[in-house]
């Protein structure tokens, strides 16, 4: 690899064309020599942003160049040290060769398997799903060879809007052999569900989205197989849990129908498909089972996720299940009744949607505390921080609020935050860590816009909680347990989540953090037909509430766009701290 | 007291049999709690459930009807003090007073004029509801003539205002198929109740105090008359405001049965603006019928607008008719703006285009009354739906320009729209209506 | 059992806000205006106190509004471009109890007048009338912050009502009001929560609660009035129920909002079903004001002299119940 630093004004003659391959999306474009990588990325439809408008100052469009030569102009947004490591800014780099380029903000995730997460392990006997040796219905059993010397693998797959996790399971023992996760390659077609649905409207786009998700899953299957040196022919069964849109796209069904009455038709029971029809890298005869959806925006990730909680077993207790992902989904109820709804929370707590956010992967700040001017944090995997994952963002917002760095509307206080107040391309912000101590050698900053995004996200979740309760005529204190799932990370500080008004102010022992319940749910459905029946039955009993048509929703929502809430009396424990 | 969804659920069979047409018993229970369903739709409801729900759903204010056919006025059945708590169900009926002592020609022409007066606002045809026929100082014959004119020239419901029982009996005979009401000022007796017996007639009971009103209502109820409307006389607007509030609150909050009827308010004032002020307050504060002393188009139109505002269901947006609107005096070259048919959005956008001083065309798409962002998220304001609508209204035949200005909030549909509307240039406008004037200035729109 | 008036006692009380300052109080006004102080829903004297009548203001302009209705020009033609004279006319002829000075021309897109020029206009009005002033701005944050700071400074001691701040732009103007002892209008876009949030933000910066007036944002009759009406009823209900962050008097603008609608500017010839334009323009503003008075407003900025007269008369009539039944 050669790097030629050129005088930018010297025009590169576009005499030839080169291909640029972007990883991890595996998107390839052909461009004229001299095209900037930013233009190439845009042409490839990739979500590469440059908030400075391509002037090389913001550093948003950071890339690492794996192979090929290019011409780069030195810029303020990138340190020499990073240049030496092969990093470049897309806007100041011109193509002069065939290139393979990696988008580091979409690097491979190292999300730990959640099957071994705390809550499930401690409560195996109480959760609703069956846990034990694998057992299968006839349809599935027919496919599985009876020979005992053969490997029989299955996969549990959580298809999220942002990330996808695939787990390889030994179906004889139920043991998880390997887990792989990565970004959903559909990201280049839009950040959230609504944009994907819109994207799918154009001719050919449904097939493209379908191909992208199949490719994403196949790549993760391949990674798992590489880990154990297995072959895809040994995979006979897959259990998939995903939101309604993702499941539609995997099955190559038009998601446009999701938003029209009758909603989510065709998915209200588990869908069984044959692998070869879907193009998944498994034994061609393998069965693929998709967990059922309840409504347009409450999908199999939720119905399956409920298996990991005791909610479906309790007769008298009333529990609330909250899954905070790109969308927020909630289920309220018990064995006898369940109501559910979805809110467009936005991906803020999953790490997108905020400048300083990132998924819970190596380099993410997962805990952070502010104490009168000093900031202390822990980074996943140690080392310099790259950004904050959901749990870190919750901690940070809570700290900024309770320490008075921001007002209750989320605006920075000029007096209090003075020495940490910085101006960025995206407006004023609070300096978390200085450039020299952060991984990207750029100031790690949370801007007022980021804060507003986080407040909108937490507001959407909380207002959905309170509306769900109102709909059945219950109050927060009637909740016996709150189960929290989602992509916050391995850990979530409930105290801080309450102090920002994300969750209701209830006794802390009622909260249980589940981690990725969708994946665990998919796993449970994979290993037992009992769970498959249970997930079907569960979907049939859930009552879907469409928040958009609820007259009170806007009112609940605007009330929640404050820290912790416009009505502080809903948060007595936060009020006590605030008043001090 | 109203039951919550969960309380109702506990009374239901919990079988999720779906025979009521709803997927789960809980969903049905929530519909019942919102009064969007009837327990009768559940074939398996227990006696206990029927009893519990029946008691919770008796209307505290009686529904009373005046007139027949499509133009009949229904008032009452209200359940809340404030429209934001749920909605006001039956809008105030507007009655116009006609005095039998006026000359016949004037009366006939007034009746005809009132009958023909209908005006469109936000797609709704608005008109006065009732004629308040007052015998005044006139004799029986003149009164009967007036009633006859009303019968002949008007389809509106009628209130007869007289204390002459003979005139009333004859008048009611003329209107025997028309379900009129009788305004009985002062004390009432069995003779009055005879008027209503064996006839479809509502009685308007008046009172000078809460006590006199209550005792007269009790008498009427004892005589078996249930279709009542109440008019508590007040010396001034302040007292009227308080009285109506007290009557409504007694009925709703205390289930005080003597006052569980709709209210009638008389507007009496020398000049138009005073009548406007009194009628506005009456309409906001609980008058189910307002009697106006004279026919005044400007006043009626203003009151129609107020009535539409106050009686709109706060949970349902008002919609305007989806079509192509002209703002100012647009030529075929004038710019074309686009928005949804949520009334507030429409008013803001059309108002601000007007304020910008530009004449323009405004395409108002059918989005079921949703605002721009909501409609977009619900898939009702997309490239496809907009293009389809633009073809339906034959926009290309009506304007020469081929540039469409779309709301800034839906900039993401511009590409799609350009594809679906070949030959059109899509220009992304501002997000807030208030910025339209500066937007118009900043872009050379031609 | 006989009938008993169902009385609902409230735990809350609407804050009393005084606007203006007399010479003893450090200003130059002949009198002050106090609004608020109610302990019951509007005009319900049988269950609470309403110590102060709603006050009626009228508005003058630094620049003749672009689309000022013909029906109003008939009253103001001689003074419309002379704010000091117009203020005098409003007070002396039409009975305005306060004068609002609208500083639209300071908006960068509407003339970009300087803060000093704006201050001059305000000074002139101060000199010409002795009633308390409302100073009304616009939504261009950067400019209005500069203008209001200057206006606050030159009117120091007069206890004007500075109209307005909003959630995204409150700190500068609120600080100026505190420094020079003015009252403030907290405007929010027809939303109870946002109204409350802004009041919390103001109180968190120690803005005195007896100096806050809520503007819930007026929708004219037929143009969103129903939203304003219900938001005001909700704000008032919550305030009386004890939510101190909503227990403030409310200002509304029937004059300004009505003057912008088509219904006050088209003739009967153009729209025969709409009736006489003269009457209609007075009716429209009257109906907007009277309905919002019923919903709890205490400070009303009017334009139409006939509507002004009518509303004033009926506020008095609504107060006739004060003496008891």
């Amino acid at each position: 690899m050669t790097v030629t630093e050129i005088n930018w004004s010297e025009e590169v003659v576009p005499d030839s064309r080169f291909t640029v391959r972007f990883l991890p999306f595996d998107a390839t474009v052909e461009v004229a020599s001299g095209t900037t990588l930013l233009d190439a990325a845009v042409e490839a439809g990739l979500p590469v942003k440059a908030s400075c408008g391509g002037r090389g100052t913001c550093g948003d469009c950071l890339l690492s160049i794996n192979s090929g030569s290019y011409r780069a102009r030195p810029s303020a947004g990138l340190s020499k040290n990073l240049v030496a490591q092969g990093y470049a800014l897309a806007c100041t780099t011109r193509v002069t060769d065939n290139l393979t380029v990696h988008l580091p903000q979409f690097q491979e995730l190292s999300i730990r398997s959640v099957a071994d997460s705390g809550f499930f392990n401690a409560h195996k006997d109480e959760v609703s799903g069956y846990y034990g040796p694998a057992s299968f219905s006839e349809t599935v059993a027919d496919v599985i060879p009876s020979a005992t010397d053969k490997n029989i693998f299955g996969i549990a797959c959580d298809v999220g809007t942002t990330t996808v996790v695939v787990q390889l399971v030994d179906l004889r023992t139920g043991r998880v052999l390997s887990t792989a996760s990565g970004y959903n390659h559909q990201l280049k077609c839009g950040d959230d569900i609504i944009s994907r649905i819109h994207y799918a409207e154009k001719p050919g786009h449904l097939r493209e989205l379908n191909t992208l998700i199949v490719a994403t899953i196949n790549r993760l299957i391949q990674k798992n197989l590489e880990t154990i040196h297995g072959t895809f022919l040994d995979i006979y069964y897959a259990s998939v849990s995903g939101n309604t849109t993702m499941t539609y796209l995997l099955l190559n069904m038009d998601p446009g129908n999701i938003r029209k009455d009758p909603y989510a038709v065709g998915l209200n029971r588990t869908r069984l498909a044959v692998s070869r029809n879907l193009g998944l890298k498994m034994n061609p005869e393998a069965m693929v089972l998709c967990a059922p959806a309840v409504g347009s925006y409450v999908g199999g990730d939720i119905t399956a996720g409920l298996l990991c909680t005791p909610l479906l077993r309790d007769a008298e207790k009333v529990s609330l299940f909250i899954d905070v992902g790109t969308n927020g989904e909630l289920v309220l109820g018990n064995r006898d009744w369940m109501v559910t709804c979805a809110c467009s929370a936005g991906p803020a707590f999953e790490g997108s949607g905020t400048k300083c956010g990132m998924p819970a992967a190596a380099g993410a700040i997962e805990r952070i505390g502010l104490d009168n001017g000093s900031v202390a944090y822990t980074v996943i995997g140690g080392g310099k921080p790259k950004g904050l994952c959901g749990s870190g963002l919750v901690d940070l917002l809570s700290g900024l609020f309770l320490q008075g760095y921001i007002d209750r509307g989320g605006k920075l206080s000029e007096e209090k935050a003075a020495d940490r107040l910085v101006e960025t391309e995206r407006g004023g912000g609070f300096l978390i860590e200085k450039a020299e101590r952060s991984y990207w050698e750029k100031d790690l900053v949370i801007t007022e816009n980021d804060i507003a995004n986080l407040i909108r996200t937490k507001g959407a979740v909380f207002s959905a909680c309170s509306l769900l309760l109102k709909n059945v005529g219950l109050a927060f204190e009637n909740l016996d347990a709150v189960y929290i799932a989602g992509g916050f990370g391995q850990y979530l500080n409930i105290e801080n989540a309450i102090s920002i008004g994300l969750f209701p102010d209830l006794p802390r022992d009622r909260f249980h953090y589940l981690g990725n319940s969708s994946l665990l749910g998919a796993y449970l459905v994979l290993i037992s037909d009992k769970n498959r029946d249970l997930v079907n039955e569960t979907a049939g009993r859930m009552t879907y509430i469409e928040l958009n048509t609820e007259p009170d929703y806007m009112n609940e929502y605007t009330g929640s766009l404050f820290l912790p809430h416009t009505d502080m009396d809903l948060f007595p424990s936060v009020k006590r701290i605030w008043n001090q | 007291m109203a039951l919550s969804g969960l309380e109702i659920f506990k009374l239901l069979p919990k079988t999720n049999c779906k025979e009521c047409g709803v997927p789960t018993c809980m969903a049905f229970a929530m519909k019942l709690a919102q009064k969007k369903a009837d327990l009768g739709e559940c074939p398996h409801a227990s006696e206990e459930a029927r009893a519990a729900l029946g008691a919770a759903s008796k209307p505290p204010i009686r529904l009373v009807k005046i007139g027949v056919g499509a133009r009949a006025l229904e008032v009452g059945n209200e359940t809340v003090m404030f429209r934001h708590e749920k909605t006001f169900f039956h809008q105030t009926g507007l009655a116009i007073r006609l005095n039998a002592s006026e000359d016949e020609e004037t009366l006939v022409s007034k009746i005809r004029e009132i009958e023909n007066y209908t005006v469109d606002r936000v797609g709704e045809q608005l008109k006065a509801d009732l004629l308040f026929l007052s015998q005044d100082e006139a004799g029986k014959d003149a009164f009967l003539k007036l009633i006859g004119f009303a019968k002949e020239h008007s389809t509106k419901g009628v209130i007869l205002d007289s204390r002459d029982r003979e005139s009333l009996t004859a008048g009611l005979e003329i209107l025997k198929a028309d379900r009129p009401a009788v305004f009985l000022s002062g004390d009432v007796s069995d003779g009055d109740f005879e008027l209503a017996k064996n006839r479809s007639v509502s009685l308007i009971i008046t009172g000078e105090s809460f006590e006199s009103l209550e005792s007269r209502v009790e008498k009427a109820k004892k005589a078996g008359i249930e279709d009542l409307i109440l008019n508590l006389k007040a010396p001034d607007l302040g007292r009227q405001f308080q009285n109506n509030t007290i009557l409504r609150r007694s009925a709703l909050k205390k289930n005080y049965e003597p006052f569980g009827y709709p209210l009638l308010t008389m507007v009496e004032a020398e000049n138009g603006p005073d009548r406007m002020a009194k009628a506005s307050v009456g309409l906001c504060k609980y008058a189910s019928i307002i009697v106006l002393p004279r026919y005044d188009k400007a006043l009626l139109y203003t009151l129609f607008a107020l009535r539409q505002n106050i009686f709109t269901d706060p949970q349902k947006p008002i919609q305007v008719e989806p079509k192509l609107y002209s703002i100012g005096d647009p030529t075929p070259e004038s710019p074309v703006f686009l928005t949804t048919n949520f009334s507030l959005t429409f008013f803001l956008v059309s108002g601000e285009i007007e304020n910008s001083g530009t004449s323009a065309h405004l395409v108002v798409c059918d989005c079921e009354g949703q605002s721009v962002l909501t409609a977009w998220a619900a898939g009702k304001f997309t490239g496809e739906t907009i293009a389809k609508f633009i073809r339906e209204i034959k926009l290309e035949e009506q304007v020469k320009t081929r540039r469409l200005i779309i709301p800034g909030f839906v900039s993401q549909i511009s590409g799609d729209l350009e594809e679906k509307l070949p030959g059109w240039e899509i220009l992304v406008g501002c997000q807030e209506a208030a910025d339209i004037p500066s937007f118009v200035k900043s872009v050379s729109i031609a | 059992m006989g009938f008993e008036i169902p009385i609902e006692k409230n735990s809350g009380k609407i804050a009393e806000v005084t606007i203006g300052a007399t010479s003893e109080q450090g200003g130059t006004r002949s009198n002050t205006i106090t609004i608020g102080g109610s302990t019951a829903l509007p005009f319900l004297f049988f269950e609470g106190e309403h110590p102060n009548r709603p006050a009626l203001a009228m508005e003058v302009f630094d620049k003749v509004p672009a689309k000022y209705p013909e029906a109003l020009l008939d009253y103001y033609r001689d003074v419309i471009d002379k704010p000091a004279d117009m203020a005098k006319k409003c007070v002396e002829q039409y009975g305005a109890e306060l004068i609002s000075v609208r500083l639209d021309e300071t908006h960068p897109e509407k003339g970009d007048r300087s803060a000093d020029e704006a201050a001059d206009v305000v000074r002139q009005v101060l000199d010409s009338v002795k009633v308390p002033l409302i100073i009304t701005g616009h939504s261009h944050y950067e400019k209005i912050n500069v203008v209001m700071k200057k206006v606050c400074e030159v009117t120091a001691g007069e206890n004007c009502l500075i109209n307005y701040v909003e959630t995204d732009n409150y700190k500068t103007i609120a600080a100026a009001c505190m420094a020079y002892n003015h009252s403030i209008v907290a405007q929010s876009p027809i939303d109870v929560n946002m109204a409350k949030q802004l009041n919390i933000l103001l109180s968190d910066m120690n803005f005195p609660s007896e100096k806050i007036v809520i503007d819930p944002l007026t929708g004219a009759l037929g143009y969103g009035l129903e939203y304003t009406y219900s938001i005001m009823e909700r704000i008032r209900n919550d305030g009386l129920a004890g939510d101190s962050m909503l227990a403030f008097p409310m200002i509304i603008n029937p004059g300004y909002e009505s003057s912008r609608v088509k219904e006050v500017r088209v003739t009967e010839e153009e729209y025969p079903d709409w009736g006489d334009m003269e009457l209609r323009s007075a009716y429209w503003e009257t109906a907007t004001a009277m309905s919002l008075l019923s919903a709890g407003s205490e400070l009303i900025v009017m334009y139409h002299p006939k509507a002004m007269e009518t509303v004033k008369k009926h506020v008095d009539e609504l107060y006739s119940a004060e003496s008891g039944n």
Side-chain angles (χ1 to χ4, degrees), chain A residues 233-485:
Chain A
L233 291 170
D234 289 343
I235 306 175
Y236 293 98
Y237 188 27
S239 159
V240 177
S241 63
N243 62 55
T244 313
T245 307
M246 289 306 120
T247 311
Y248 262 60
L249 293 174
L250 176 63
L251 297 172
N252 202 28
M253 288 158 59
D254 178 9
N257 295 323
I258 288 175
R259 296 187 299 171
K260 296 172 192 151
D261 208 6
Y263 303 99
V265 67
L267 251 193
N268 31 33
R269 290 186 64 76
T270 50
R271 273 288 278 246
L272 207 52
V274 181
S275 155
R276 70 179 125 78
N277 295 340
L278 298 185
L280 287 177
K281 197 162 186 184
M282 303 165 60
N283 187 304
E285 299 305 314
M287 303 305 293
V288 180
L289 187 141
C290 298
V294 181
S296 323
Y297 303 112
V298 174
D301 48 346
I302 303 306
T303 53
L306 284 171
L307 299 180
C308 327
T309 73
L311 189 147
L312 303 172
R313 276 192 180 186
D314 294 329
E316 290 303 320
K317 280 168 71 176
V318 175
S319 308
L320 180 65
F321 171 84
I322 309 176
D323 188 349
V324 185
T326 314
N327 251 23
E329 294 101 350
L330 296 91
V331 181
L332 172 70
N334 57 26
R335 197 183 64 193
D336 293 332
W337 59 271
M338 275 175 282
V339 289
T340 181
C341 69
C343 57
S344 47
F349 288 123
E350 287 192 315
S352 326
T354 57
K355 165 105 167 145
C356 60
M358 65 175 287
I365 293 179
E366 61 172 348
R367 304 174 194 231
I368 186 165
L370 305 183
D371 190 21
N372 281 322
S374 72
V375 176
Y377 53 80
T378 57
V379 176
I380 299 178
K384 291 179 174 178
K386 293 177 175 172
L388 289 90
C389 67
S391 56
L393 289 167
V394 167
D395 288 355
L396 178 61
L397 187 59
S398 166
L400 289 172
F401 162 52
L402 290 178
Q403 307 255 336
Y405 290 104
I406 51 177
D407 68 19
R408 289 183 59 195
K411 294 275 186 305
L412 286 159
S413 149
E414 279 163 34
E415 308 86 64
K416 172 80 183 183
D419 50 341
R420 282 190 177 263
L421 216 55
V422 286
E423 272 306 313
T424 75
E425 305 276 347
R426 306 178 188 203
F430 177 89
L431 180 69
I432 301 161
E433 188 54 281
K434 287 187 183 137
E436 57 263 34
R437 282 204 291 271
S438 76
Y439 185 87
W440 299 119
E441 302 186 23
K442 281 196 314 175
D443 285 351
L444 190 56
V445 175
I446 183 163
T447 64
E448 271 189 355
N449 281 335
D450 292 344
I451 293 169
N453 262 333
L454 290 171
I455 291 178
R456 275 195 288 274
T457 299
K458 73 97 189 166
V461 173
F462 185 81
S463 48
C465 285
S466 85
L467 206 73
L468 210 49
L469 283 158
K470 272 195 186 156
N471 255 285
V472 293
L474 289 177
F476 285 114
E477 47 279 19
N478 298 117
L479 292 174
D480 296 296
V482 182
Y483 301 103
I484 296 149

Side-chain angles (χ1 to χ4, degrees), chain A residues 529-571:
Chain A
D529 53 349
K530 283 187 200 160
N531 289 334
R532 182 172 128 186
D533 293 344
L534 184 56
V535 80
N536 267 328
E537 195 192 308
T538 302
R541 273 190 290 131
M542 284 162 80
T543 301
Y544 183 65
I545 293 171
E546 179 64 52
L547 289 185
N548 277 333
T549 60
E550 287 291 317
D552 257 1
Y553 182 66
M554 256 341 261
N555 185 45
E556 293 288 343
Y557 179 59
T558 58
S560 304
L561 295 181
F562 217 51
L563 294 169
H565 191 277
T566 309
D567 184 1
M568 184 82 104
D569 291 334
L570 287 172
F571 290 84

Side-chain angles (χ1 to χ4, degrees), chain C residues 77-94:
Chain C
R77 208 174 300 273
D78 53 335
V79 292
I80 183 76
D81 53 352
K82 303 180 196 78
D85 294 351
M86 184 159 165
K88 215 177 183 71
K89 187 167 193 177
C90 288
V91 172
E92 289 172 6
Q93 281 191 38
Y94 304 135

Side-chain angles (χ1 to χ4, degrees), chain A residues 173-251:
Chain A
T173 60
R175 209 161 61 84
V176 176
L177 303 172
S178 163
T179 303
S181 58
Y183 279 98
N184 185 334
H185 287 189
Q186 294 175 341
L187 267 179
K188 69 172 199 168
C189 311
D191 280 350
D192 52 38
I193 289 172
I194 297 275
S195 350
R196 305 268 171 91
I197 294 175
H198 278 295
Y199 188 84
E201 280 170 3
K202 292 187 190 164
H205 281 192
L206 171 59
R207 179 49 81 180
E208 181 190 353
L209 286 165
N210 171 258
T211 308
L212 285 168
I213 187 57
V214 169
T216 306
I217 295 172
N218 282 345
R219 213 170 44 84
L220 296 173
I221 292 176
Q222 185 59 37
K223 270 180 79 176
N224 280 319
L225 288 170
E226 281 164 11
T227 315
I228 62 147
H229 307 291
T231 157
F232 65 90
L233 291 170
D234 289 343
I235 306 175
Y236 293 98
Y237 188 27
S239 159
V240 177
S241 63
N243 62 55
T244 313
T245 307
M246 289 306 120
T247 311
Y248 262 60
L249 293 174
L250 176 63
L251 297 172

Side-chain angles (χ1 to χ4, degrees), chain B residues 83 117 121 242 274 296 438, chain C residues 45 230 263 273 283 313:
Chain B
R83 60 187 291 280
Y117 180 59
R121 191 174 167 78
Q242 293 199 142
D274 286 356
D296 169 353
S438 27
Chain C
F45 291 94
S230 283
E263 282 80 353
D273 290 337
Y283 287 172
K313 178 170 162 189

Side-chain angles (χ1 to χ4, degrees), chain A residues 567-579:
Chain A
D567 184 1
M568 184 82 104
D569 291 334
L570 287 172
F571 290 84
S573 76
V574 185
K575 190 176 181 180
R576 270 196 303 278
I577 300 170
W578 174 251
N579 285 342

